[in-house]
Amino acid sequence: MLKPIKLAKRNFLSSLDISTTELIYILDLAKKLKNKVTNIEYKNKVLGLIFDKSSTRTRVSFQVAMSRIGGTTIDLNPTTSQIGRGEPIKDTARVLSSYCDLIAIRTFNHSDLEEYAKWSTKPVINALTDLEHPCQALADFLTIKEEFQDFRKVVLTFIGDGNNVANSLILCGALLGVEVRIACPKGFLPNPFVIKRAREIYKNDNLLKIIHDPQIAVNGANVLYTDVWSSMGEEKQKEQKDKEFDGFTIDTDLVSRATQDAIVLHCLPAYRDKEITDKVIESKNSRIFEQAENRMHVQQALLSCLLS
Ligand code: CP
C-alpha cells in the first residue's frame, strides 16, 4: 500500500494550492490507483458535496472515488437544504465541517468558495467556480501524461473561451512546464491574474501564448482542447457568443493542422457541432472519454492526500 503525501488541513481551491512536486505525485498516484497497483483506504470518512450548479462527471466521480477508498459522500441539494434559503456561508461551513471530513463545492463566485474555506475546519475542494476548475485540470494532465509521458515536449492549445477551465489549464501547465497556447476571440481572454501568475511560474520561458487565430495556434500542437463557449450562468449571452466564436470550432481541418499524433480533449458536456464537431469527438484523435474517466482516478488520489 502506497503512503500518500500529506496534504491534510490544506484546501484545494486553485491549481496553485499545490506545488509542482505535489502535483506530479497526485498524477502518479492516480495512475497507480487506475492500474490497481496500489490501494488506499480511509474507512468511514465523509465527503460533503455542495453543488449550486448542475454536474454529472464531478459529482459522480467524487462519489465513486470516495466509495473506492472506503468512505462515503453526502450530496447536499441547495434547494432542499437551508443553503438555498440563504443561510450565511460562515454558518453552513462551520456546521458541515463538524460533521464531514472534507467538503467539495461547485458554485458561481470564487469568493464564495473562499468564504467556505475561511470558516470550514476541514479541507475544502473546488469542484468548479467561475474562476477555476482545478480537479478537471488534474484529469486533463493525467490524460496528457498517459499519451506523451514528458510534459516538456507537449504543446497544448486551448481553443475557445478564456474561462475557468482555461485558467486552471494555464496554471497547471505552468507548474508542469507545458507550453500552453490560448486561442480565443479578442475580449474573451483568460483571467489577467492567472496570466500574470503563470508567467511568473514559467520564469523566463515564453511558454504561455495568447493567439486570436486558431489555425496559427494549432500549428505544432499535440493537444487540442476545447470547452463550451457559454458556461453555466451565461445562457443569455449564448446567441451573441456563438457569433463571436465563429471559426473557433475544432473540426477535422483544424485537427489536420496540428501534429500527426495530436490528441483532442473536451471536459464535457459538449455541444456537438458547435465548439467541436461530432466527427472529431468520435475520431481516433479523441481522448475525451479517457479524460472523463480520469476525473475519478485523480480525485481518488487527491482525496487520499487531503485525508492523510
Ligand atoms: N467537466 C465537468 O465538470 O463535468 P460536469 O459539469 O458534468 O461535472
Side-chain angles (χ1 to χ4, degrees):
M1 196 181 287
L2 191 74
K3 200 168 164 44
I5 54 165
K6 291 187 195 309
L7 294 180
K9 298 194 173 66
R10 295 257 295 271
N11 296 311
F12 188 58
L13 310 186
S14 162
S15 300
L16 294 179
D17 285 337
I18 51 175
S19 66
T20 299
T21 307
E22 289 164 345
L23 172 54
I24 290 169
Y25 180 87
I26 289 169
L27 299 182
D28 288 346
L29 179 58
K31 186 70 185 159
K32 289 191 175 89
L33 290 163
K34 183 175 181 177
N35 290 341
K36 297 189 172 35
V37 296
T38 190
N39 179 35
I40 292 170
E41 279 188 9
Y42 283 96
K43 278 204 164 62
N44 304 323
K45 295 292 183 184
V46 179
L47 169 67
L49 297 170
I50 301 173
F51 281 78
D52 289 335
K53 293 177 167 185
S54 304
S55 171
T56 298
R57 279 145 287 272
T58 310
R59 188 198 306 277
V60 178
S61 56
F62 267 123
Q63 288 169 330
V64 177
M66 205 57 198
S67 155
R68 286 189 172 199
I69 59 174
T72 190
T73 54
I74 297 174
D75 191 351
L76 285 142
N77 180 341
T79 56
T80 55
S81 66
Q82 304 293 5
I83 296 168
R85 192 187 60 90
E87 183 171 13
I89 290 173
K90 62 182 177 184
D91 294 356
T92 306
R94 278 178 285 186
V95 173
L96 288 183
S97 60
S98 72
Y99 304 149
C100 300
D101 300 287
L102 303 153
I103 308 173
I105 300 162
R106 169 169 290 196
T107 193
F108 292 86
N109 297 322
H110 195 77
S111 56
D112 286 349
L113 180 78
E114 290 173 332
E115 177 75 354
Y116 272 107
K118 181 179 168 189
W119 293 98
S120 171
T121 55
K122 304 287 169 48
V124 170
I125 302 168
N126 182 350
L128 182 147
T129 64
D130 287 357
L131 182 63
E132 273 203 61
H133 198 358
C135 293
Q136 178 67 55
L138 293 178
D140 302 338
F141 283 99
L142 175 59
T143 314
I144 292 168
K145 191 172 167 59
E146 287 178 330
E147 198 72 30
F148 298 110
Q149 288 81 46
D150 185 354
F151 284 122
R152 287 164 304 175
K153 292 184 180 153
V154 173
V155 177
L156 162 62
T157 297
F158 178 90
I159 300 148
D161 190 16
N163 62 9
N164 45 11
V165 170
N167 289 334
S168 290
L169 283 174
I170 289 171
L171 293 173
C172 247
L175 289 172
L176 295 167
V178 172
E179 178 174 337
V180 177
R181 301 175 188 167
I182 304 294
C184 60
K186 288 179 182 145
F188 296 94
L189 295 173
N191 179 281
F193 171 77
V194 165
I195 294 175
K196 181 173 173 290
R197 279 298 292 126
R199 292 207 161 121
E200 286 164 2
I201 295 165
Y202 280 127
K203 296 198 176 77
N204 298 326
D205 301 330
N206 184 25
L207 292 178
L208 173 61
K209 297 182 174 76
I210 311 291
I211 300 166
H212 300 299
D213 183 338
Q215 298 197 355
I216 293 172
V218 300
N219 187 16
N222 37 24
V223 181
L224 308 189
Y225 194 129
T226 190
D227 185 12
V228 292
W229 294 335
S230 301
S231 299
M232 283 178 278
E234 292 187 338
E235 287 75 15
K236 285 189 185 146
Q237 300 162 45
K238 200 167 181 295
E239 211 173 306
Q240 181 58 28
K241 280 187 109 174
D242 283 356
K243 287 185 198 148
E244 305 257 18
F245 284 80
D246 187 30
F248 285 77
T249 301
I250 298 189
D251 56 16
T252 47
D253 174 58
L254 206 57
V255 175
S256 72
R257 292 169 188 269
T259 59
Q260 271 205 324
D261 63 350
I263 61 166
V264 179
L265 302 179
H266 189 309
C267 53
L268 298 176
Y271 286 106
R272 288 172 187 244
D273 298 324
K274 191 86 74 165
E275 73 275 4
I276 186 167
T277 61
D278 177 75
K279 200 168 172 186
V280 172
I281 292 182
E282 302 298 344
S283 72
K284 64 176 175 40
N285 305 85
S286 171
R287 298 291 180 278
I288 291 170
F289 295 98
E290 290 84 349
Q291 176 190 10
E293 180 191 327
N294 283 339
R295 295 292 308 276
M296 179 177 64
H297 304 300
V298 293
Q299 285 160 208
Q300 192 181 342
L302 175 70
L303 291 166
S304 305
C305 293
L306 294 174
L307 286 166
S308 294

